[in-house]
Amino acid sequence: MSFALKKDDENGLSTYYNNKTTVIQEARVFNESPISPRKCRALLTRIVYLLYVGESFNTQEATTLFFGTTKLFQHKDSALRQMVYLAIKELAETAEDVIMVTSSIMKDMQPNSEVIYRPNAIRALCRIIDPSMAQGVERFFKAAIVDKNPSISSAALVSAYHLFPHAKDVVKRWVNEAQEAVNSKSSSSFFGSSSSGGSGGYLGWGSSSSSANTGYQPIPSTSYIAQYHSLGLLYLIRQQDRMAVTKMIQQLGGGRSGAGTTLRNPMALCMLIRYAAKVIEEDPNVQKQMLDLLEGWLRHKSDMVNLEAARVICEMKNVTPQQLTRSIAVLQLFLSSPKSTLKFAATRTLAALAVSHPSSVAACNIDLENLISDPNRSVATYAITTLLKTGNEASVDRLMKQISGFMSEISDEFKVIIVDAIRSLCLKFPGKHESMLAFLSGVLRDEGGYDFKRAVVEAIFDMIKFIADCKEQALSHLCEFIEDCEFTKLSVRILHLLGAEGPKAPHPTKYIRFIYNRVVLENATVRAAAVAALAKFGLNNIEAKLGKSVNVLLNRCLDDVDDEVRDRAALYLKVYDAPPLVEPYVKEESIYSLSALESKLVSYLSEPELLDEPLDISSIPKISKAQAAKESARTSYTLETIGVPSTSKAATPPPPSAAETQSNYAQQLAEVPELASYGPVLSSSVKPSPLTESETEYQVSVVKHIFKEHIVFQFNVSNTIPDTVLEQVSVIMQPQGEAGLTEDFIIPIPTLTAATSPGIVYVSFTRETPEEYVQASFQCILKFVSKELDPSTGEPEEEGYEDEYQVEETELAAADYIVPSYVTFASEWDRMRGGVSVTETFSLPAMESLKAACNSVIEILNMQPLGGTEDPQSPTVHTLQLSGLVGGGGGKVLVRCRMTHSKAQGVTLEVGVRAEQQPAADLVISAIGG
């Protein structure tokens, strides 16, 4: 078929032949008399082909084709009938009134129908019927699941799998039939014996008349594929019941040797192994029992099962070297297998294991070294990466020579893995940096795509950062690379690094030529980056002569055709004339949080009355450049992830930063009409505070939003009871004592089910004196009307009963008003010397260490720790430095906590506060003193 398609493409007929309009016009062949099976089969093939390549039919077209196809049901040609079912399955999702053909399909599902039609009919029926009709066809599916013909049984099991999300309660009743299918003993039991005459019959329905009439002689199946399908359905039904899944694994596992299992299909056993791995992950208490089963499967006759069991053992959490012995021995045998697939799977598993257990994998080093010259370069790549992790410093040079030999023969994807393995090796053995830097500079000159070149540049960046001895040589290699670099992004990054590291080098002038060449020869983006890098050489006060030379070069840039380049040059020339601007524009170590800045700009532009005043950026928090780099860090291979197989659980994405969380909340609150008049939100809690245990039937957490004159409590409420609906859900808040807050209104949740959870209840308070920072405690009660759901209709009962649920208290504390913000502490502390200053001393006898005291103060104040002071270096004396912004015009606040620790007195704390406003300083002192 592929040759025919290629020929059609060459002579231009394929586009016409497989054109949607042509196919619809030719659908009249379905109405011809007599019907031509050959023509109909060809047309149905084209319809299915169009659907598979992404062509779509509108509802009318699909309906016309669908019902034209159904006219072929009565034809006796078996190949045509099979093609009809295939087309019906694909068209059923778009066509209308498809349920009308149910009776025709059901005829082919009858036990006395021909066996070649029954699997197709079952699969088509699954797509046609409405979920509410599942109960009506239940007996057909039950009979098909336990049918002695594996094709019928598999079709019913797969169809049940697809029906499960839509008709869970019905499919769950088929568990006994699925269990019977998974326990099928041997292939001969699928069919009646040929010597039994007419008494048995291969279909097991009491007679062999069907086979006698049709002449169809089934071929006994030895694949046992129905076991694989039935095991998948059993797990789907029982997945919420961990005990039932554990029992199923133990029953089907076959004991410690694995020989007693009834499963004959290797894929079914692999599936069972994966279920066992999931159970181990969820419940460590059953690890020993499951490990016994896994070790039994290591001796199975199927290579697939051996590999899967070995991989699961290698990926277990907290696995010991003793537990790994047998699985590594199995993988070592596969390393010498003649089959490339087995060698690839074994090397990939060992590469992942070498990250955490290099000494255990080292036993395979001889076999892995033999694979470096393997003709399959994928196998060789994984062998190399594993050896790089298990080898010692003496073997580095030898490995580097072997790697250089085949780098040109592998794809970019594997080159990236090799380069990142070398990057990790550089950090592991810094003494060998010369040979590795030479290798990296060599591959940097080779042909390759962006991802490969970026990986090499990242590796060199890391060497510059962590290995001081190679900095100058590495910078020289990068300078040579940008002379002929075709990737703008990489050129910009390298120029930025040169601007940051070049002025600190022993001979900074040698980099100027390379940078200025970019101004002359490159595109506007690179030229702008080069101007910024040049300015850093001139403005860092390295030497007067260099500064004047850079000034001349920047003046030349004022004539550039691009406005960004001209603007940057003009900015830095202005800084030349005003030296005090060097600190904020060239040497500043902090930047505005982009998420917070974006939120502030959106809020500013959406409020017309604010446009008359300039934008106030003093309330926007800052973050350090290191934090900004961490937030935008690339997802790449590291020493921990190189060689980790793709079947492993995907790494969870990093949680959103505090600024991103604030921005998301601001956007969410802007969509609530009742809060529209409150203005921009000043600060929000970074994390929801739970007010209930995670196991309770109703789960509640709270987020506090501070506005200029209001405070809004956002309660996230979840209903975990599937057969109950909650209506008019609200939270009643009672302040303890005089809080200085007046309740405005409550926005309840009209209806809350398990499917729609979590819902949000808003409770709004007005601040009686907005310039004060109120701290208060509130009792909270969840109130709702509870109604049972009718299991047959899914509708709630007409009458319910009012109920209430006591949740934990919530507090409005100092941390809710403060937003962490980065500053350069020493210079900012001196600058604020003339402002508000408060010093208090506190005794904390309950604190066991300075680290605990630091964590407690940071949590209470929600401020940004600076300069790594959150980690005390001495057990007895320490100084913690904190910075933040107080919302609502409170301004900047800095805290210096001097603390000492002794076993007798605990921690003694001297808190020094410098702030722009007195209320902000009082807020900090009251928070620690409270």
Side-chain angles (χ1 to χ4, degrees), residues 141 151 195 297 521 564 743 788 829 849 880 895:
F141 273 96
S151 61
S195 63
W297 288 320
L521 302 171
E564 174 70 18
E743 185 175 308
E788 297 291 327
W829 183 261
S849 66
L880 173 66
V895 177

Side-chain angles (χ1 to χ4, degrees), residues 49-306:
Y49 169 77
L50 285 173
L51 290 166
Y52 281 174
V53 297
E55 186 68 72
S56 60
F57 294 94
N58 63 37
T59 304
Q60 184 179 352
E61 292 168 345
T63 304
T64 302
L65 290 173
F66 182 87
F67 284 102
T69 305
T70 58
K71 295 175 183 177
L72 307 176
F73 263 124
Q74 304 305 318
H75 204 277
K76 299 299 182 185
D77 187 275
S78 58
L80 175 60
R81 290 274 293 279
Q82 287 180 290
M83 202 65 222
V84 166
Y85 277 119
L86 197 58
I88 280 176
K89 276 200 307 176
E90 300 305 322
L91 290 169
E93 296 178 4
T94 315
E96 291 180 335
D97 303 323
V98 295
I99 207 163
M100 292 171 62
V101 301
T102 305
S103 57
S104 299
I105 295 174
M106 295 282 283
K107 286 180 183 177
D108 281 348
M109 282 186 63
Q110 301 298 328
N112 57 358
S113 65
E114 294 187 42
V115 73
I116 196 170
Y117 301 143
R118 286 186 68 197
N120 296 302
I122 291 167
R123 289 190 174 95
L125 187 68
C126 168
R127 300 283 185 95
I128 296 294
I129 62 170
D130 188 83
S132 60
M133 294 177 59
Q135 195 164 354
V137 297
E138 183 174 5
R139 67 185 183 89
F140 291 102
F141 273 96
K142 280 187 172 182
I145 287 172
V146 296
D147 198 282
K148 294 180 181 178
N149 189 303
S151 61
I152 296 171
S153 178
S154 288
L157 288 163
V158 173
S159 298
Y161 201 95
H162 291 302
L163 274 175
F164 185 79
H166 310 292
K168 285 189 174 72
D169 294 335
V170 177
V171 177
K172 281 180 179 178
R173 296 201 290 264
W174 306 348
V175 66
N176 291 334
E177 285 73 18
Q179 187 71 52
E180 187 177 335
V182 85
N183 287 328
S184 299
K185 297 292 183 185
S186 63
S187 61
S188 60
S189 67
F190 281 28
F191 308 96
S193 169
S194 59
S195 63
S196 61
S199 61
Y202 68 86
L203 289 176
W205 291 94
S207 77
S208 59
S209 58
S210 176
S211 59
N213 293 339
T214 63
Y216 175 75
Q217 294 298 324
I219 300 172
S221 169
T222 56
S223 70
Y224 300 92
I225 194 65
Q227 290 188 331
Y228 173 65
H229 294 142
S230 54
L231 181 63
L233 181 61
L234 277 176
Y235 179 76
L236 195 65
I237 293 171
R238 295 173 173 172
Q239 61 184 342
Q240 302 301 329
D241 186 348
R242 191 190 302 162
M243 292 297 294
V245 172
T246 305
K247 185 178 178 182
M248 178 183 75
I249 294 168
Q250 290 173 337
Q251 286 177 342
L252 298 174
R256 295 188 63 170
S257 65
T261 180
T262 57
L263 296 179
R264 297 287 181 268
N265 182 273
M267 288 190 292
L269 274 168
C270 287
M271 184 75 77
L272 194 67
I273 291 169
R274 293 186 182 183
Y275 295 154
K278 190 172 177 63
V279 168
I280 292 172
E281 186 178 345
E282 293 174 353
D283 185 7
N285 296 325
V286 300
Q287 180 171 343
K288 188 177 184 307
Q289 305 165 32
M290 293 295 144
L291 189 62
D292 290 341
L293 289 173
L294 290 169
E295 288 185 345
W297 288 320
L298 288 173
R299 296 185 289 273
H300 195 270
K301 61 183 179 182
S302 168
D303 294 335
M304 186 194 303
V305 176
N306 298 156

Side-chain angles (χ1 to χ4, degrees), residues 754-772:
T756 59
S757 294
I760 296 176
V761 175
Y762 290 107
V763 183
S764 173
F765 287 87
T766 296
R767 299 165 68 179
E768 295 173 2
T769 50
E771 61 275 4
E772 293 183 4

Side-chain angles (χ1 to χ4, degrees), residues 585-596:
Y585 287 104
V586 178
K587 297 183 178 179
E588 178 61 60
E589 288 299 315
S590 64
I591 61 172
Y592 288 109
S593 168
L594 293 181
S595 299

Side-chain angles (χ1 to χ4, degrees), residues 11 15 69 80 97 111 124-125 193 228 278 288 374 383 439 444 490 527 529 540 603 621 750 752 767 811 914:
N11 61 25
T15 306
T69 305
L80 175 60
D97 303 323
L125 187 68
S193 169
Y228 173 65
K278 190 172 177 63
K288 188 177 184 307
D374 193 271
F439 171 81
L444 202 54
L490 291 182
R527 293 203 304 273
N540 270 296
S603 175
L752 184 68
R767 299 165 68 179
E811 289 186 347
R914 290 185 180 176

Side-chain angles (χ1 to χ4, degrees), residues 670-695:
E671 296 170 0
V672 181
E674 292 87 344
L675 308 179
S677 62
Y678 285 12
V681 61
L682 303 178
S683 65
S684 299
S685 311
V686 177
K687 294 181 181 177
S689 304
L691 302 182
T692 58
E693 297 294 333
S694 58
E695 297 83 11

